[in-house]
């Protein structure tokens, strides 16, 4: 819910301590054998990317707890897991009262997530968080006078793969197709999400509509991503999930990674059948309008499709699309005798793309762009030369399923219409969309190392540069996506973004906000854990969400103001030349 951690120096009757002076708790070292044994113990089909350190940290037994002059208690805990690409946290006791906040951030505050508040409270009293870059984090719990919330850290998860590393194209096979390069399925790709489970594994899933068309945030995925033979364990794991929206390349350009800022934590299981691999989740809250969600339609008639496609996150990578022009056949998926006979759609060979580990749970769409199943698995030695087969559990088979939980029909047809086909749904009357002056013919420009930055610090002492946008009828701006070539957040010398109205140049200031960039690039993974992180922001699509939507007319300007004094240079990428109308502005003097 936004905001910023408590002032670093806390004046207390006990002592004066800063976050940087906190004693660091060093978690035990891990190796490949420990990872393998934990992966086997987890017993789930999601692709493991992290090792889970089981801990028990509370304000009573760890860190530093101080009270300021107003009676506000601030608990800070500093933890390091050597060599981690990123760390994420699962609170096994999370029950906050109104006014209380939790933040997680790096010691330099280059990456901050939060605030988490009482609005994140779940029935299970659990909370899982998105990853924070690097191998060291600070957890901060702010409790105003009179508040008595409860907080306990149950696990800290060490990313040994590099979930946020660049370039993302190294994660999956070279023949995968970025969904951004495909314009045929604009709604269906917005339904696809990346799921992190228990902080240690990832799968795919899709938002799915119901016959009431009421925007209930249901998400279809696979039970083997959780614990296919235990509903109780799967329910706990569902409450620790983090769901990432729009994790995709911002443009059809190789090597540019999408943002991981649009996420929702926690879900409940609404339908479950481990024998057939069905799991239907309900997210803890509906995706907000600027996440651009779409609830996909479905077809449970069990009639074979003419052709099929799926959109997924192979190896936790950027969103990809896979297609086959042939009709799938009904068959049995014999994987460790996990699933019932004759329960799957079989795709023998994909014409374009393929699925991999991490694609599990992604929906299979028919020629009418409706979900007919979800991915259980397939050929183990898959490659760009061997693209099949794949097995998706059939929606028509699990429709009346009643194993351990309500059947799919009970949940997705709440009005008892009896229909087995349902259209997709736009949950917001005025949906958000991305506007950009970047054309397919344009090329991103990489500044040579021996030159000044055109859109950044330069010898001409130009400290403000702008981009002009036109939008028919105007609207509201929820935030901006931007691609920095270099730079980092610095509280002493902050970068600011401004929103201006005007016609030919920026005239009237409408809104301003400090830019807090997020580090997401690391050294490439080797066969051993690496202790050194390469801090860089290049090739990363960042999303800066405004504190509130800002109304604009049909023409407006986004202005970056960079500090005259700085510790690290800042620069944005820009196009090399322009295939269309110029839209760039620079402020020299007044």
């Amino acid at each position: 819910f936004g905001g910023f951690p408590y002032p670093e120096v806390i004046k207390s009757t006990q002592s004066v301590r800063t976050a940087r002076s906190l004693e660091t708790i060093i978690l035990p070292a891990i190796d490949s054998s420990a990872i393998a044994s934990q992966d086997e113990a987890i017993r789930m089909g999601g692709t493991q990317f992290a090792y889970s350190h089981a801990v028990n940290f509370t304000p009573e037994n760890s860190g530093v707890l101080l009270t300021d002059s107003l009676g506000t208690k601030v608990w800070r805990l500093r933890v390091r897991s050597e060599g981690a690409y990123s760390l994420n946290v699962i609170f096994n006791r999370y029950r906050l009262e109104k006014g209380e906040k939790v933040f997680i951030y790096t010691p330099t505050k280059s990456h901050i997530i939060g605030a988490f508040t009482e609005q994140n409270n779940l029935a299970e009293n659990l909370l899982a968080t998105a990853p924070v870059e690097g191998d060291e984090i600070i957890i901060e719990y702010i409790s105003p006078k009179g508040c008595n919330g409860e907080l306990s850290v149950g696990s800290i998860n060490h990313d040994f793969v590099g979930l946020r590393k660049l370039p993302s194209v190294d994660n999956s096979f070279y023949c995968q197709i970025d969904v951004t390069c495909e314009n045929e399925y604009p709604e269906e790709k917005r339904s696809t999400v990346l799921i992190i489970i228990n902080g240690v594994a990832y799968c795919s899933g899709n938002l799915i509509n119901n016959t009431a068309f009421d925007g209930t945030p249901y998400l279809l995925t696979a039970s083997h991503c959780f614990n296919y033979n235990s509903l109780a364990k799967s329910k706990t794991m569902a409450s620790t999930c983090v769901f990432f929206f729009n994790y995709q390349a911002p443009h059809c350009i190789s090597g540019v990674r999408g943002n991981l800022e649009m996420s929702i934590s926690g879900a409940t299981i609404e339908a479950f059948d481990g024998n057939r691999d069905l799991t239907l989740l309900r997210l803890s809250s509906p995706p907000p309008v600027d996440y651009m969600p779409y609830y996909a339609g479905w077809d449970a008639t069990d009639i074979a499709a003419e052709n099929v496609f799926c959109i997924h996150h192979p190896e936790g990578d950027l969103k990809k699309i896979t297609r086959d022009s042939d009709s799938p056949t009904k068959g049995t998926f014999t994987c460790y005798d996990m699933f019932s006979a004759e329960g799957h759609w079989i795709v023998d060979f994909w014409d374009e793309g393929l699925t991999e580990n991490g694609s599990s749970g992604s929906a299979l769409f028919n020629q009418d762009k409706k979900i007919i199943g979800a991915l259980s698995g397939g050929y183990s030695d898959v490659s760009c030369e061997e693209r099949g087969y794949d097995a998706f559990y059939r929606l028509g088979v699990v429709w009346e399923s009643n194993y351990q939980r309500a059947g799919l029909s009970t949940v997705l047809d709440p009005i008892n219409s009896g229909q087995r086909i349902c259209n997709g749904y736009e949950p917001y009357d005025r949906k958000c969309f991305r506007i950009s002056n970047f054309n397919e013919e344009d090329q991103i420009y990489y500044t040579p190392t021996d030159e000044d930055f055109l859109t950044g610090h330069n010898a001409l002492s130009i400290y403000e540069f702008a981009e002009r946008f036109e939008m028919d009828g105007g609207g509201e701006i929820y935030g901006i996506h931007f691609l920095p070539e270099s730079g980092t957040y610095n509280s002493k010398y902050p970068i600011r973004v401004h929103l201006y109205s005007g016609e030919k140049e920026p005239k009237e200031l409408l809104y301003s906000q400090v830019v807090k960039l997020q580090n997401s690039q690391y050294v490439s993974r080797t066969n051993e854990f690496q202790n050194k992180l390469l801090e860089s922001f290049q090739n990363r699509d960042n999303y800066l969400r405004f504190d509130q939507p800002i109304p604009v007319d049909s023409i407006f300007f986004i202005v970056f103001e960079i500090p005259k004094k700085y510790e690290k240079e800042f620069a944005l990428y820009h196009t090399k030349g322009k295939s269309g109308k110029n839209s760039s502005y620079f402020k020299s003097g007044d």
Side-chain angles (χ1 to χ4, degrees):
F1 290 94
F4 202 71
Y6 214 66
E8 188 161 310
V9 177
I10 300 173
K11 295 182 178 180
S12 168
T13 56
Q14 300 146 294
S15 63
V16 176
R17 296 287 295 274
T18 70
R20 296 187 184 186
S21 67
L22 279 175
E23 180 181 353
T24 302
I25 297 176
I26 308 297
L27 297 176
I30 57 176
D31 55 29
S32 57
S33 60
I35 293 169
S37 62
Q38 189 175 76
D39 188 23
E40 183 178 354
I42 291 170
R43 297 190 65 199
M44 59 183 174
T47 302
Q48 188 182 7
F49 73 89
Y51 179 87
S52 182
H53 289 284
V55 297
N56 179 29
F57 297 143
T58 69
E60 290 74 35
N61 65 21
S62 309
V64 173
L65 178 63
L66 297 176
T67 303
D68 71 5
S69 58
L70 299 176
T72 299
K73 294 180 180 179
V74 181
W75 177 55
R76 285 178 177 146
L77 174 73
R78 185 167 178 166
V79 181
R80 181 189 304 152
S81 185
E82 293 285 349
Y85 288 101
S86 68
L87 297 173
N88 67 82
V89 177
I90 294 179
F91 297 100
N92 61 349
R93 183 67 184 173
Y94 184 95
R95 179 60 51 181
L96 265 58
E97 295 185 353
K98 189 173 183 179
E100 295 185 308
K101 298 177 182 180
V102 170
F103 291 92
I104 304 174
Y105 51 90
T106 58
T108 61
K109 293 190 175 72
S110 62
H111 188 182
I112 302 169
I113 62 173
F116 303 103
T117 70
E118 86 284 351
Q119 296 182 69
N120 296 99
N121 290 346
L122 300 173
E124 294 81 6
N125 294 329
L126 298 170
L127 181 73
T129 73
V132 173
E133 298 100 339
D135 63 358
E136 190 168 336
I137 57 172
I138 293 171
I139 300 170
E140 181 173 297
Y141 173 30
I142 305 169
S143 180
K145 185 177 181 179
C147 291
N148 293 289
E150 297 178 62
L151 192 74
S152 174
V153 181
S155 64
I156 294 178
N157 304 303
H158 174 123
D159 173 8
F160 58 82
V161 170
L163 181 69
R164 304 175 69 99
K165 72 178 182 179
L166 290 171
S168 61
V169 290
D170 283 349
N171 291 2
S172 59
F173 283 114
Y174 67 87
C175 57
Q176 295 283 13
I177 302 168
D178 274 327
V179 75
T180 315
C181 300
E182 173 58 67
N183 298 319
E184 191 174 351
Y185 311 106
E187 288 81 22
E188 288 69 34
K189 69 183 181 183
R190 291 194 283 122
S191 75
T192 305
V193 303
L194 170 66
I195 311 171
I196 293 182
I197 306 163
N198 255 12
V200 299
Y202 39 71
C203 272
S204 301
N206 290 78
L207 292 173
I208 188 168
N209 192 23
N210 70 83
T211 57
F213 286 76
D214 58 7
T216 304
Y218 293 129
L219 186 135
L220 189 72
T221 186
S223 66
H224 79 267
C225 290
F226 299 84
N227 190 301
Y228 73 94
N229 59 2
S230 172
L231 175 59
K233 292 180 180 178
S234 293
K235 288 172 67 176
T236 299
M237 294 165 73
S239 66
T240 68
C241 285
V242 182
F243 305 88
F244 294 93
F245 296 78
N246 303 302
Y247 181 49
Q248 60 201 43
H251 302 286
C252 187
I253 306 169
S254 177
V256 179
R257 190 174 66 73
N259 75 85
L260 279 169
E261 281 71 60
M262 298 180 177
S263 65
I264 289 176
S265 177
T268 56
I269 291 181
E270 300 298 315
F272 182 86
D273 189 339
N275 288 340
R276 295 181 173 89
D277 208 21
L278 161 71
T279 293
L280 182 74
L281 302 172
R282 177 172 179 163
L283 305 186
S284 60
S285 61
V289 63
D290 56 331
Y291 284 25
M292 300 181 288
Y294 178 77
Y295 296 85
W298 41 265
D299 184 338
T301 61
D302 212 30
I303 298 174
E306 297 174 12
N307 53 74
V308 292
F309 67 93
C310 70
I311 302 171
H312 52 105
H313 289 279
E315 297 293 343
D317 204 343
L318 302 179
K319 199 177 294 181
K320 310 294 183 182
I321 185 167
T322 300
R323 287 178 290 209
D324 184 25
S325 59
D326 297 322
S327 177
T329 58
K330 296 178 180 179
T332 299
F333 181 45
T334 54
C335 179
Y336 305 111
D337 297 322
M338 289 169 58
F339 308 123
S340 301
E342 295 297 323
H344 285 76
W345 292 115
I346 306 298
V347 177
D348 287 327
F349 191 89
W350 296 102
D351 293 331
E352 298 175 90
L354 68 157
T355 69
E356 303 179 51
N357 292 328
S359 303
S360 288
S362 58
L364 183 69
F365 290 89
N366 65 11
Q367 71 282 349
D368 298 322
K369 303 178 182 179
K370 291 181 172 59
I371 294 174
I372 61 172
L375 182 62
S376 292
Y379 184 55
S380 59
D381 293 327
V382 66
S383 68
C384 290
E385 291 70 37
E386 296 289 339
R387 302 185 185 183
Y389 62 96
D390 273 339
F392 296 77
Y393 67 79
R394 285 155 41 198
L395 220 62
V397 171
V398 299
W399 187 247
E400 301 295 345
S401 172
N402 194 28
Y403 174 71
Q404 293 184 307
R405 197 69 171 168
L408 201 60
S409 61
T410 305
V411 185
L412 295 186
D413 186 17
I415 63 174
N416 296 316
S417 68
Q419 66 189 60
R420 286 203 170 210
I421 298 178
C422 182
N423 291 327
Y425 178 59
E426 291 280 1
Y428 296 99
D429 294 334
R430 297 183 67 193
K431 67 178 182 180
C432 267
F433 57 93
R434 249 178 110 153
I435 62 174
S436 174
N437 294 321
F438 190 89
N439 299 324
E440 290 184 4
E441 312 88 68
D442 294 332
Q443 293 180 340
I444 286 183
Y445 186 60
Y446 298 80
T447 304
T449 56
D450 59 346
E451 292 186 13
D452 278 343
F453 295 108
L454 178 62
T455 50
H457 285 106
N458 56 75
L460 296 176
S461 299
I462 294 175
Y463 297 106
E464 292 188 60
F465 43 94
E467 183 81 359
R468 182 180 188 269
F469 293 91
E470 293 189 33
M471 181 170 58
D472 290 342
E476 291 182 319
I477 307 301
Y478 280 78
I480 61 167
H481 293 266
F482 62 99
L483 185 62
E485 184 172 358
S486 64
T488 185
Y489 173 75
N490 186 303
S491 58
K492 188 176 181 181
Y493 306 116
I495 301 151
R496 299 182 185 274
V497 66
H498 309 295
L499 179 62
Y500 277 86
S501 63
E503 289 289 331
K504 295 183 178 180
E505 63 182 53
K507 284 293 185 182
E508 181 183 353
L509 179 64
L510 303 177
Y511 180 76
S512 293
Q513 187 167 317
V514 171
V515 175
K516 298 182 178 70
L517 299 178
Q518 298 184 6
N519 186 350
S520 61
Q521 184 177 2
Y522 304 94
V523 292
S524 299
R525 185 192 174 198
T526 65
N527 293 328
E528 299 177 354
F529 293 112
Q530 303 181 51
N531 296 324
K532 184 178 180 180
L533 298 177
L534 177 62
E535 295 185 1
S536 173
F537 302 111
Q538 65 182 22
N539 295 347
R540 176 187 171 151
D541 174 38
N542 293 271
Y543 178 61
L544 177 67
R545 195 181 199 192
F546 288 173
D547 292 332
Q548 62 193 54
I550 308 298
V552 294
D553 294 327
S554 57
I555 299 176
F556 62 93
F557 294 80
I558 297 292
V559 178
F560 272 82
E561 180 185 357
I562 57 178
K564 296 179 177 62
K565 293 182 178 181
Y566 56 91
E567 293 179 358
K568 284 190 176 182
E569 290 179 317
F570 176 81
L572 293 178
Y573 283 124
H574 53 85
T575 59
K576 186 174 185 179
K578 182 64 183 168
S579 60
K581 185 178 180 181
N582 176 59
S583 54
S584 298
Y585 290 72
F586 299 84
K587 185 176 182 181
S588 179
D590 291 327

